[in-house]
Amino acid sequence: MMKRTLMTSVSLVLALGLAACGNGNNAAEGTGDAGTGGSGSGAKTKISYWTGDRHDAEFVKEQVAKFNETNTDGIEVELVVKGDDFDTALDLSFQTSDAPDVIRVKENTIQTFYKKGFLAPIDEFLTDELKTKFPAMPDLNEFEGKRYSLPNYGTTMRLVYNKDLFAKAGIEHPPTTLQELVDTAKKLTEAGKADGAYGFAQNFKSPGSAFARSSRVIAELSGFGGFGYDFKTARYDFSGFEPIINAFKQIKDDGSMLPGVESLDIDPLRAQFAEGKIGMYLSYSSEPGVYKNQFPAKIDWAAAPAPTIDGNVKGASGFLGGQWLGLSSKSENKEAAWKFMQFMYDDQVLTDYQEKGFGISMVPSVSSVAKTPDVSGIEGFLPNKYDGVWPVYPAVAPEGMKSDDAFFKYMLNGGDLKAIIADLNKRYNTALDSAIQNDGVKAEPDASFDPASLGGKFAK
Amino acid sequence: MNKTKNALFSYSFIFPSALLTLVLGIYPIAWAFRYMFYDYKGYGAARFTGLDNFSRILKDTQFWDSVVNTFIYAGGKLLITIPLALLLAAILNRGLRGRQLLRGIFFMPTVISTAVMAVVFFTIFNSYNGILNQFLIKFNLSDTGVDWLGPKYAMLTVILVAAWGAVGNYMLLFLAGLQNIPEDVYEASSLDGAGRIQQFRYVTLPMLGPVMQMVIMLAIITALKGYESIMVLTEGGPVGKTEVMFLYLYKLFFPVGGGSAAVQVQEFGYGSAVAFVSALIVGMISLIYFYASRRMNQTD
């Protein structure tokens, strides 16, 4: 009998314990009143900052420690660095009332987080000085007239090339047109093949990731929306991609593409480039940091502006960014969270951020005084007159194959690219119409939209 | 009185696991059941669309290609795994020296995380600097190596990796089954003049029937649902050559790739409908197998 009672009690305790698990963090959140910093109460106001960034994790950790030590409001920030599961973990945290107070937002997540109601506007905290200092960018940090984040750094896109292999092949300049890209890849392969080096590579394990850093920038510089959306007509039109995809296919057919690109991820691609096995590829300004820390480059390399379709710049090379930290709508300590954000957006922190090479500042008052980042190879990535911020395109979920997969399939198997593009246009526009009608997506034609006018704002 | 007490006592034991099943098993299924009739992208209001998601499935060639790929993948995996597991079990069931160690070695892949295992295999099979290609080139078996994860061989590679991960597990189950066959049956058959092969054919296989039925059933379901190692090795590529049903489904809920600035759209509604149809396919195949294999369960 005694045994039974004991077992029943144990079961009950276990069951209650499980039920209590869902609210594990409430104790930490209860230390401050909603909207107050909780100063002077003696107890710490605990807030959490979630980020998915790993490249600057050490730097951010130092800043958080500094804030925790120096702030006089009794605020303690817990830094949580998530991996690839950042978005999923955040979704879950909002389902379980376990959401962070401050959230790292990016150019491809802020719209979704805003729509999901994860973010709180920060206008009430912004002074006029801050509003002028940090440029407002519609759909990137501003929605329906309210600000949800402030910019810190931006990412540029360039052609990264192996200078040693260029010298060996007797090529003096990186290519500026698609035809030159094809020809250069061929010459580099001829010069390097005996040592296992090839002219060009793309990380086609994920075609989406490969094209977002290659065809996109070529299209944007040539005046086409990098994801197939035409801002003038407010319709999807992939026809600008035809010569670009054909050039990539030509490079592959010529045998100038690194063998095995079908299963190549971006990190293995970088590892191969660092070893001198790749002549050129297109990517983001995060590359110099990679060759400094992750894969020390054994070759002399540099970055140059991406080629355009025909040598004429008719648009702007995307300068990606416009946001950094966002305030959680579920935060019970918004004022404390803002104080932490304010600390992170301090001139000194942002200047250090650029000078230590974590990113290229997008804040005019910082970029005008901050020194060139201390990372070799970054020079080629610094903003030039052709870098500019593109407006945000309306993302849709078309039925059937996505554009990246369709283009890669064409590169491998051939076919009628014009027909493929016509099919993509049809499916993407059907999805766009549905999104406008049912999901409140906005897509207004802008006849005066001039992609060439996007550049020149960050450098002359 | 005593009966009520007993029942209460039993319920108190069932309660924790029932609660977990309800929260982690039944609730998500009910959630998916609802959303398969909706267009829902994870934000805003879900829009009721009736059977639209299902008519989209009928036209979705990517999904049906993934179903075909699933059959190829599952079929290939079973063809390698089951005979090999049975053979290994039969060998290790004998008084072989060091068999305990060998059992441990063969079982090891089962306890290794699928993702870790796939990463290791990626370093072996990748085309540009994989260990296998370096070996082939070094010993002049190939000039440039083989594109193991390319369009031609990717499916074969993912099947081999999956089989490697599964064989030890099924071997252990077969081994348990073999050890349950009484020794006297073998003695009797050998008195009747049966040789080793005849014993295997007429004693071992029939007496292993119920275990075999269960093992194959498990293997079918696991193979039809498997996608983790494929995700690490190829992400379903190149161009969908290794995209299996559950990987396609996973990508609808959690889109992968796209790179910076590509805004990902999650398709919870359509994903739920695809999940339902996929589960239906797995369920139907299991039922057909169960019906077709019912004789295996009869040992007498």
Side-chain angles (χ1 to χ4, degrees), chain A residues 1 4 11 107-108 115-116 205-206 209 212 216 262-264 268 272 284 393 399-401 409 438-439, chain B residues 5-6 12 15 41 43 47 56 62 122 128-129 147 149 232-233 235 239 257-258 260-263 266:
Chain A
M1 183 62 205
R4 278 191 177 185
S11 307
E107 62 277 0
N108 61 335
K115 283 182 197 163
K116 286 183 176 177
K205 183 172 183 186
S206 169
S209 167
R216 172 198 187 174
E262 295 90 346
S263 55
L264 193 66
Q272 293 295 302
Y284 305 111
Y393 67 102
E399 289 186 12
M401 202 175 259
K409 190 175 179 186
N438 304 310
D439 303 330
Chain B
K5 231 179 183 181
N6 261 343
S12 68
F15 182 69
K41 306 214 159 58
Y43 50 78
R47 188 170 56 91
R56 181 175 161 190
Q62 266 183 301
F122 187 81
Y128 33 93
N129 63 351
D147 198 357
L149 297 168
V232 177
L233 284 167
E235 262 181 36
V239 291
S260 195
V263 184
Q266 294 168 299

Side-chain angles (χ1 to χ4, degrees), chain A residues 440-453:
Chain A
V441 166
K442 288 193 185 96
E444 311 268 330
D446 177 5
S448 63
F449 178 75
D450 175 17
S453 70

Side-chain angles (χ1 to χ4, degrees), chain A residues 122-203:
Chain A
I122 52 172
D123 302 71
E124 59 176 300
F125 302 112
L126 292 177
T127 59
D128 288 342
E129 189 205 339
L130 286 176
K131 278 182 188 164
T132 337
K133 185 175 163 188
F134 294 97
M137 300 178 189
D139 297 331
L140 288 166
N141 59 32
E142 189 187 59
F143 297 93
E144 296 180 18
K146 287 183 180 166
R147 295 265 218 122
Y148 287 83
S149 183
L150 303 170
N152 169 14
Y153 72 97
T155 302
T156 57
M157 291 178 282
R158 296 288 186 266
L159 177 94
V160 183
Y161 65 102
N162 176 341
K163 283 167 85 175
D164 294 345
L165 195 56
F166 266 64
K168 195 175 172 191
I171 306 166
E172 286 180 7
H173 304 290
T176 55
T177 66
L178 284 178
Q179 190 53 50
E180 281 179 26
L181 182 75
V182 174
D183 296 341
T184 309
K186 206 170 181 177
K187 283 183 199 158
L188 292 173
T189 309
E190 281 161 12
K193 202 172 174 179
D195 303 318
Y198 290 80
F200 194 64
Q202 285 168 292
N203 54 317

Side-chain angles (χ1 to χ4, degrees), chain A residues 229 233-236 394-399 424-445, chain B residues 39 41 47:
Chain A
Y229 182 76
T233 60
R235 304 300 286 166
Y236 273 94
V396 295
E399 289 186 12
L424 284 172
N425 291 346
K426 195 175 152 208
R427 286 189 291 111
Y428 272 73
N429 284 321
T430 307
L432 177 64
D433 290 337
S434 161
I436 292 169
Q437 202 185 336
N438 304 310
D439 303 330
V441 166
K442 288 193 185 96
E444 311 268 330
Chain B
D39 176 14
K41 306 214 159 58
R47 188 170 56 91

